[in-house]
Amino acid sequence: MNNIKIDPTWKKALEPEFLKSYWAELTANIRGQYQTKQVYPPAVNIFKAFDLCPLDSVKVVIVGQDPYHGAGQANGLSFSVNNNIPLPPSLKNIFSEIQNDLQVKPLPSGDLSRWAKQGVLMLNSVLTVLVNKPASHAGIGWEQFTDSVIRTLNNKRTHIVYLLWGKYAQSKGEVISRDQNLVLTSGHPSPYSASLFVGKHHFSKCNQYLLAHGITPIDWR
């Protein structure tokens, strides 16, 4: 377990997962694929969401599905792309909703590290993907790991805002205690379902909840 390069607060909390047989199979599989195929994000960024947002710093969780599969896009944070990469359609819709909801214009960069450093856990359900093959690493163990991440947060922390966009993210959040946290649901921000995402005011509702519980709100720019 000592060779897992992840933030120490998460490493300690998730230690039981790292001792399970599926984890050994998953990591051997992923390590082999990085050596023989083109996999995103770069291996150093697989756990970037956790490294930028330690367990005790989490204020908000945004659940995505799997990383972007185009060249240079994925950087280890859900919905986020590297600096100087064109914004994917879902992220464009997220930025548009922020502007309409909060009357602030998000920065042009799609690198959402600026949110993660404030306590937004940008959690993909599946943490890796093959180039140009969406969902290619679904069903090999990542989902079990990220389910445990949400369970761990639910057991150890309260007053977290969960933004669950789309049916997939909503199913992922079924274990969350609604009486101790705020769970906001809507359609996915992709162009196919954006009409079910736009106008939900999740960003203002999130900050109102945080303020009501004495927590510094997120600067969504």
Side-chain angles (χ1 to χ4, degrees):
M1 198 193 88
N2 290 333
N3 62 350
I4 299 168
K5 293 180 172 61
I6 191 171
D7 168 82
T9 63
W10 285 108
K11 190 170 186 176
K12 181 178 180 182
L14 297 170
E15 183 176 4
E17 289 303 302
F18 298 138
L19 300 175
K20 293 179 180 177
S21 58
Y22 88 88
W23 181 260
E25 295 171 10
L26 170 64
T27 51
N29 183 352
I30 294 298
R31 195 173 291 118
Q33 294 208 39
Y34 269 97
Q35 291 170 351
T36 59
K37 301 177 181 179
Q38 195 165 2
V39 185
Y40 295 128
V44 70
N45 287 337
I46 292 175
F47 297 115
K48 185 175 181 178
F50 304 90
D51 295 335
L52 293 183
C53 191
L55 176 61
D56 49 4
S57 299
V58 178
K59 302 175 184 179
V60 182
V61 179
I62 299 180
V63 177
Q65 200 152 348
D66 68 338
Y68 296 117
H69 53 86
Q73 288 183 303
N75 64 6
L77 307 177
S78 62
F79 294 101
S80 175
V81 291
N82 285 310
N83 205 13
N84 298 319
I85 294 290
L87 300 184
S90 291
L91 189 52
K92 282 184 180 178
N93 287 333
I94 290 169
F95 279 8
S96 177
E97 177 66 9
I98 288 171
Q99 186 163 356
N100 292 335
D101 184 13
L102 300 176
Q103 309 305 309
V104 298
K105 188 174 179 62
L107 297 173
S109 172
D111 183 353
L112 304 181
S113 298
R114 59 188 184 271
W115 296 357
K117 291 172 183 175
Q118 297 179 70
V120 182
L121 181 66
M122 313 290 299
L123 180 67
N124 273 320
S125 175
V126 175
L127 300 187
T128 55
V129 69
L130 290 173
V131 61
N132 297 329
K133 292 186 178 179
S136 47
H137 283 175
I140 63 172
W142 280 128
E143 294 93 339
Q144 187 172 340
F145 172 68
T146 50
D147 281 347
S148 76
V149 170
I150 294 175
R151 276 198 310 274
T152 297
L153 277 171
N154 193 58
N155 292 338
K156 294 182 177 292
R157 297 285 315 282
T158 56
H159 304 320
I160 288 175
V161 180
Y162 292 85
L163 303 180
L164 306 180
W165 301 329
K167 291 180 180 177
Y168 184 89
Q170 289 162 30
S171 66
K172 195 88 174 160
E174 288 175 356
V175 301
I176 300 164
S177 300
R178 265 62 174 176
D179 57 338
Q180 294 182 310
N181 304 280
L182 177 64
V183 178
L184 298 174
T185 62
S186 75
H188 192 277
S190 80
Y192 302 105
S193 52
S195 63
L196 303 174
F197 171 77
V198 171
K200 299 295 185 183
H201 302 287
H202 281 185
F203 301 97
S204 57
K205 289 176 180 176
C206 169
N207 280 353
Q208 288 163 10
Y209 179 88
L210 294 175
L211 281 167
H213 290 89
I215 302 167
T216 303
I218 306 299
D219 179 353
W220 290 107
R221 291 173 292 180

